[in-house]
Amino acid sequence: MGIKRRNWALAVAPPALALLAATGCTSTADARAEPTGVPSTSGAPSTSVARVCAKPAAGPAKAPAGSVTVDPAVVGDLAAKTKSSPPNTTFWLRPGKHRLDPDRYAQVIPKKGNRYLGAPGAVLDGRKKNQYAFGGTAANVTIRHLTVQGFVPPHNEGVVNHDSADGWVIEHATIQNNSGAGLMAGARQQVRASCLRGNGQYGLNAYKSGDTISDLVVEGNEIVGNNTDDWERRREGCGCTGGIKFWAVNGADVRGNWVHDNRGTGLWADTNNNDFRVENNVIEANDGAALIYETSYNAVIRKNTIRRNNWVEGRRAADGGDNFPYATVYLSESGGEPRIRARTDKIEIYRNVLENNWSGITLWENADRFCNSPANTSSGDCTLLVKNIDRCAQPAIATAPLYADCRWKTQRVDIHDNRFVLDKSVVDCTAKCDRMAVLANYGTYPRWSPYKGERVAEAITRKQHNRWHDNVYLGPWKFVAHDPSRVLDFGQWQGTPYQQDAGSTFRARDGG
């Protein structure tokens, strides 16, 4: 973990983000917490927004038949009754503030099939003393209508489902104001209609040590104000922050969420993820990119409303003189791969509205990042096409099939039927916030690299089937191809040799 995403230049941490109010989903005046569902421009997707933090659904006011009642007046009652009860027990937590024993490692260790239901006003509070709320490896645990707050796990660790057990269901829960990640994930986990708010690192960290997570569902949640501890500033370039981070997830449906006002990236899939559907979300006002898909494969990104993202990180990079096109949707060494089984064999980005973000979509490859390279910040990982990383070495890496398979490739990306709106007076910028890009760096190292020079830049720009078409552009957009020095107007972008955006329309007046 702790992977850097920016390989052209290191990330620079944003300034402090005002903390969200603890009792609602409204934020400070500097942030925009109330969505309108769709942008004001026509042609936007019809998006239903998950406004669950301000008014979470109430749990059962009475104990369900056959359940075990948990008393908030008895310290450690929940953990003790869980330990003494058989699997498949339902626990009903009375209204009030429930506490664990004061030992830092005290936690609830569910048994298989246990269900935890919170009454209205039921809170499990770590009081900044306990590290974890729910841990262990029991499968098929359910947590509903419960607020979990005030826990202090270490960096990269989580509060709920600390050990990434499989088959958990988290529904109508509020997980807020914890250190680390509010929630971890295991295979077949479902996170629905929950508020993941104001956690120190991530709202959700979908990571399982030594294993792949399959069939993850994240639906109808509000993910807001996370990374309050500002980890990019504390560990520069760590790539370890945001609303949600996904690692080695094979099959994920991320739909109908409201992802907003997070310090850093909204949604970030990093290192050998595959088969994602990101659809019908509203992603807005995050300090960094709305979505990063990095060293990963095969995804559908559609019908999302994406607006006012990347104003902090994009502006900071530009003000620092960096000419890299930091975008609000950033594909880094990621593409479609038919040899890896998924619901699609490409990355398709369509029917989204992107409005007044800092730049648009960037497709990027770092020519020096491949298996066994010191520039591979996913240290120790290789592509999903190479099982033995030791094979990616000279002389074999210079010949087929390893020349292609030892490198994560941004290929087979199809960007169409989107609406890109930019009004520079809204974004408050004069330059570098107006770019769409497909590019790579000049390969330089290590000494034995077969990818030196312009080989990767030529491949990503002209040979790897990356294509924009049938889009609508409103505003003074520019286009970058091959490397950051080639900034094109719309006619050059459509013309030879790039031939991008066939069938697209362009109106340069700000905001249409």
Side-chain angles (χ1 to χ4, degrees):
M1 298 174 66
I3 294 171
K4 298 176 183 177
R5 72 172 170 95
R6 293 189 174 109
N7 303 299
W8 191 276
L10 291 176
V12 181
L17 175 72
L19 296 181
L20 299 173
T23 56
C25 63
T26 56
S27 64
T28 64
D30 292 334
R32 300 169 177 86
E34 187 62 27
T36 58
V38 294
S40 57
T41 52
S42 61
S46 177
T47 306
S48 177
V49 179
R51 299 177 177 89
V52 296
C53 289
K55 191 175 181 181
K62 295 182 180 180
S67 64
V68 173
T69 296
V70 182
D71 187 352
V74 179
V75 174
D77 197 38
L78 179 59
K81 286 178 175 173
T82 295
K83 184 175 182 179
S84 63
S85 300
N88 299 304
T89 297
T90 296
F91 300 88
W92 179 70
L93 285 73
R94 289 182 180 274
K97 191 168 288 187
H98 296 255
R99 296 162 292 167
L100 302 174
D101 290 335
D103 180 81
R104 63 187 295 190
Y105 297 111
Q107 60 189 285
V108 180
I109 306 295
K111 296 174 182 174
K112 184 177 180 179
N114 279 2
R115 295 172 294 278
Y116 298 88
L117 306 179
V123 176
L124 180 60
D125 194 339
R127 298 173 294 162
K128 303 298 181 183
K129 296 180 179 180
N130 307 116
Q131 290 190 353
Y132 317 119
F134 293 91
T137 59
N140 303 328
V141 172
T142 297
I143 298 172
R144 287 193 174 102
H145 303 292
L146 182 63
T147 294
V148 180
Q149 65 184 32
F151 288 81
V152 287
H155 182 249
N156 288 333
E157 296 187 37
V159 173
V160 175
N161 197 10
H162 168 261
D163 298 293
S164 302
D166 296 337
W168 284 40
V169 175
I170 314 297
E171 194 169 36
H172 300 298
T174 297
I175 303 174
Q176 64 182 11
N177 304 330
N178 304 285
S179 302
L183 176 63
M184 303 296 286
R188 304 180 308 283
Q189 181 158 304
Q190 299 179 41
V191 185
R192 300 181 186 273
S194 292
C195 172
L196 309 181
R197 173 174 57 190
N199 296 291
Q201 188 177 0
Y202 305 112
L204 167 61
N205 186 15
Y207 171 81
K208 188 167 186 175
S209 180
D211 202 0
T212 297
I213 296 171
S214 60
D215 302 322
L216 176 64
V217 174
V218 181
E219 181 176 22
N221 305 284
E222 185 174 350
I223 300 142
V224 53
N226 296 289
N227 188 28
T228 59
D229 290 337
D230 198 2
W231 278 101
E232 293 288 347
R233 183 180 295 276
R234 296 169 69 176
R235 298 187 182 181
E236 185 179 9
C238 73
C240 59
T241 59
I244 300 181
K245 194 77 183 277
F246 304 89
W247 313 79
V249 175
N250 185 23
D253 289 288
V254 183
R255 56 181 176 249
N257 303 285
W258 183 20
V259 185
H260 66 101
D261 295 285
N262 294 285
R263 176 185 277 142
T265 302
L267 303 174
W268 189 344
D270 190 346
T271 310
N272 288 339
N273 297 277
N274 176 50
D275 195 12
F276 271 52
R277 286 192 176 178
V278 181
E279 56 189 357
N280 292 314
N281 303 283
V282 172
I283 310 174
E284 63 181 334
N286 297 288
D287 282 4
L291 171 65
I292 298 175
Y293 206 67
E294 179 178 2
T295 53
S296 295
Y297 303 89
N298 300 327
V300 173
I301 302 165
R302 64 185 178 189
K303 302 180 183 178
N304 301 285
T305 299
I306 300 171
R307 59 194 171 201
R308 301 190 306 272
N309 296 283
N310 206 28
W311 287 14
V312 173
E313 294 188 8
R315 190 186 317 278
R316 183 176 291 271
D319 289 348
D322 192 343
N323 68 339
F324 185 85
Y326 289 102
T328 198
V329 175
Y330 181 35
L331 272 59
S332 177
E333 296 93 20
S334 293
E337 177 49 73
R339 290 174 290 174
I340 297 173
R341 185 175 180 180
R343 290 167 287 183
T344 181
D345 61 2
K346 58 185 176 179
I347 293 182
E348 190 172 14
I349 304 173
Y350 70 98
R351 292 187 64 190
N352 303 283
V353 171
L354 285 80
E355 183 181 39
N356 290 328
N357 301 284
W358 191 279
S359 286
I361 297 174
T362 288
L363 310 187
W364 159 254
E365 277 191 42
N366 179 359
D368 298 324
R369 185 181 189 182
F370 52 90
C371 304
N372 278 330
S373 168
N376 177 20
T377 51
S378 302
S379 180
D381 287 299
C382 193
T383 71
L384 293 180
L385 299 172
V386 179
K387 302 303 180 184
N388 181 359
I389 192 172
D390 293 336
R391 297 178 63 208
C392 294
Q394 288 287 7
I397 193 173
T399 60
L402 293 179
Y403 179 82
D405 292 352
C406 291
R407 176 167 61 92
W408 289 276
K409 292 189 290 186
T410 302
Q411 63 177 9
R412 298 173 59 84
V413 181
D414 190 5
I415 302 167
H416 65 93
D417 293 288
N418 302 285
R419 188 176 184 88
F420 301 111
V421 180
L422 177 63
D423 185 337
K424 286 187 174 181
S425 68
V426 173
V427 182
D428 189 22
C429 76
T430 56
K432 298 183 182 179
C433 66
D434 52 3
R435 299 186 177 188
M436 207 73 57
V438 52
L439 76 165
N441 58 331
Y442 190 89
T444 58
Y445 79 107
R447 179 182 55 80
W448 51 271
S449 169
Y451 311 114
K452 290 182 179 179
E454 297 185 352
R455 295 178 183 183
V456 174
E458 285 293 310
I460 189 175
T461 306
R462 304 188 192 185
K463 301 175 182 178
Q464 293 180 179
H465 309 287
N466 298 314
R467 183 168 173 249
W468 279 256
H469 62 97
D470 298 298
N471 298 294
V472 174
Y473 293 89
L474 302 177
W477 289 95
K478 295 183 175 65
F479 304 87
V480 181
H482 188 277
D483 64 74
S485 70
R486 299 190 188 181
V487 181
L488 315 173
D489 62 27
F490 191 58
Q492 293 169 319
W493 175 247
Q494 283 192 312
T496 303
Y498 307 109
Q499 297 183 323
Q500 291 290 357
D501 266 315
S504 297
T505 61
F506 179 85
R507 192 165 70 201
R509 185 166 60 88
D510 276 1

